Amino acid sequence: MSGPVSLTRHLIEAQRAGHIEPDLRLLIEVVARACKSISVAVGRGALGGVLGDAVSAAGGDSVNVQGEAQKKLDVLSNEILLEANAWGGHLAACASEEMEHCQPIPDAYPRGAYLLLFDPLDGSSNIDVNVSVGTIFSVLRCPENVETVGDEHFLQPGTAQVAAGYCVYGPQTTLVLTIGQGTHAFTLDREQGAFVQTRSDIRIPGETREFAINMSNQRHWEPAMQGYVSELLAGREGPRGKDFNMRWVASMVADVHRILTRGGIFIYPWDRKDPGKPGKLRLMYEANPMAMLVEQAGGAATDGRGRILDIAPTTLHQRVPVFLGSKAEVEVATRQHCEHDAAHAGATTA
Ligand code: AHG
Ligand code: MN
Ligand code: MN
């Protein structure tokens, strides 16, 4: 029997093939259902009264643990994901960009074997201007024999992820998923209310002529980063011998979705604008899930020096530089950073 493959069928077949346990299938179905609700809220926009800044209990601007102003849709999306995942019995705890600490499953419900991390709404600066935003998620196994789940149980490297994905709310709502068996895309059929597989085993072209970076930070970058991008900008006449094009949506989900569609390199490097921060993007619920999706699609993801998925996390909200996309291009950027480090090893900055 052929015909469109729904997300449900894809997951049931993965379970039959022994790739996922029933509880992980349920978890992914629940996340997908929450993404449908978020898609409806995002799609209604001003009609639903969901645009604009969130207001704190005290009546002022609402700020999350990152010190960033929260939009109404950041808060709403977080609540939708928490509520949807509370009662299914598949999770031990959730952690989110919008919450300082993880939230264990309420005592009233059975506790499951998995930990779920999410960026409930990525690309907040694009919400009010009708540009694509998304949800990013990562699934880990809860360590065994844990009495009370705490933040420390989430601090596992990206290689420990058992599933990762994002849902982009753009002209189409598309869920992109990996359970470690390739990266697959499912488009929301709004009439049927179901995610239908529209791409299977996505492969990112190995080489590219397109880069994504916020150029307004250029003066704050380290020398290796300055050198790499100046070579791209030099185009055909420069050492790379080809012209490059630039794109920057400022929603990581949308930039990564483009790269999974036609290749490219996405970079959010460390910069001196806020030297205390090792990068802008968060390791646990932005960099790690995207790195797994990209690697499963034949691409590469590094922090400019080494593989993102190998980083041993130390805190729930830690930040990291991100270089991801077409394998050969990520390797060039990473190699240039490592060579710069080697050439300057032992040099003092006094
Ligand atoms: P979030 O909205 O979840 O805080 O993440 C925003 C991130 C990411 O989506 C995007 O790539 C980047 O911030 C945009 O940064 P600039 O505002 O510096 O362009
Ligand atoms: Mn984000
Ligand atoms: Mn966010």
Side-chain angles (χ1 to χ4, degrees):
M1 201 178 76
S2 61
V5 175
S6 63
L7 175 65
T8 298
R9 178 171 163 187
H10 174 91
L11 293 173
I12 285 177
E13 287 175 356
Q15 184 187 321
R16 280 200 197 120
H19 298 320
I20 50 171
E21 294 166 3
D23 268 9
L24 180 55
R25 176 171 63 81
L26 175 63
L27 192 168
I28 295 167
E29 292 266 26
V30 171
V31 170
R33 196 170 64 229
C35 289
K36 269 190 247 176
S37 299
I38 298 170
S39 174
V40 170
V42 168
R44 284 188 62 74
L47 298 176
V50 293
L51 301 187
D53 297 335
V55 177
S56 73
D61 286 346
S62 185
V63 173
N64 68 10
V65 62
Q66 331 273 334
E68 293 162 352
Q70 289 177 306
K71 295 283 184 184
K72 281 185 198 166
L73 268 171
D74 287 323
V75 176
L76 181 64
S77 304
N78 194 52
E79 284 168 359
I80 288 172
L81 280 156
L82 286 178
E83 199 283 328
N85 283 286
W87 42 269
H90 49 282
L91 271 186
C94 290
S96 161
E97 177 190 345
E98 306 301 341
M99 306 188 302
E100 185 168 7
H101 297 293
C102 73
Q103 186 163 306
I105 292 306
D107 289 339
Y109 302 116
R111 200 175 100 176
Y114 295 99
L115 302 173
L116 174 66
L117 295 114
F118 44 83
D119 174 353
L121 209 65
D122 174 68
S124 301
S125 71
N126 282 323
I127 293 172
D128 292 345
V129 294
N130 201 0
V131 170
S132 297
V133 291
T135 297
I136 310 173
F137 63 94
S138 162
V139 185
L140 296 164
R141 215 175 270 283
C142 187
E144 279 172 24
N145 304 319
V146 169
E147 190 98 345
T148 311
V149 186
D151 293 354
E152 65 276 19
H153 301 117
F154 284 80
L155 303 181
Q156 306 176 38
T159 48
Q161 293 174 107
V162 292
Y166 66 79
C167 187
V168 58
Y169 313 113
Q172 303 110 44
T173 287
T174 305
L175 183 88
V176 181
L177 174 72
T178 182
I179 53 169
Q181 300 288 324
T183 295
H184 313 281
F186 304 83
T187 303
L188 181 61
D189 181 331
R190 295 181 204 271
E191 279 76 44
Q192 304 283 344
F195 281 102
V196 177
Q197 188 162 338
T198 40
R199 293 177 72 198
S200 72
D201 216 359
I202 295 171
R203 304 312 290 166
I204 301 174
E207 309 213 348
T208 185
R209 292 168 177 248
E210 201 158 65
F211 68 102
I213 194 163
N214 184 341
M215 284 295 297
S216 70
N217 293 323
Q218 183 176 18
R219 69 191 185 284
H220 305 295
W221 296 338
E222 59 181 312
M225 193 64 219
Q226 301 274 2
Y228 170 70
V229 171
S230 68
E231 289 188 3
L232 303 187
L233 296 177
R236 196 191 302 240
E237 293 77 28
R240 300 297 304 274
K242 57 182 183 180
D243 290 336
F244 281 81
N245 186 28
M246 197 193 89
R247 286 287 182 273
W248 183 249
V249 182
S251 290
M252 189 192 200
V253 275
D255 281 310
V256 170
H257 197 69
R258 184 187 59 255
I259 287 169
L260 283 168
T261 306
R262 66 179 190 214
I265 182 168
F266 169 96
I267 307 181
Y268 213 116
W270 175 84
D271 66 45
R272 283 196 180 77
K273 201 160 65 171
D274 196 346
K277 286 185 187 164
K280 174 169 183 182
L281 298 173
R282 279 59 54 111
L283 174 64
M284 300 297 294
Y285 41 80
E286 290 178 319
N288 270 343
M290 291 309 201
M292 184 176 180
L293 287 163
V294 164
E295 284 199 6
Q296 285 289 319
T302 75
D303 65 356
R305 267 79 188 182
R307 188 182 179 215
I308 283 181
L309 295 180
D310 286 335
I311 296 173
T314 53
T315 60
L316 199 53
H317 299 287
Q318 88 185 63
R319 295 171 192 263
V320 66
V322 175
F323 295 53
L324 62 77
S326 293
K327 196 163 194 233
E329 196 54 45
V330 172
E331 283 171 359
V332 170
T334 304
R335 188 173 60 243
Q336 288 191 10
H337 279 69
C338 293
E339 283 171 2
H340 189 276
D341 291 350
H344 293 81
T348 59
T349 49

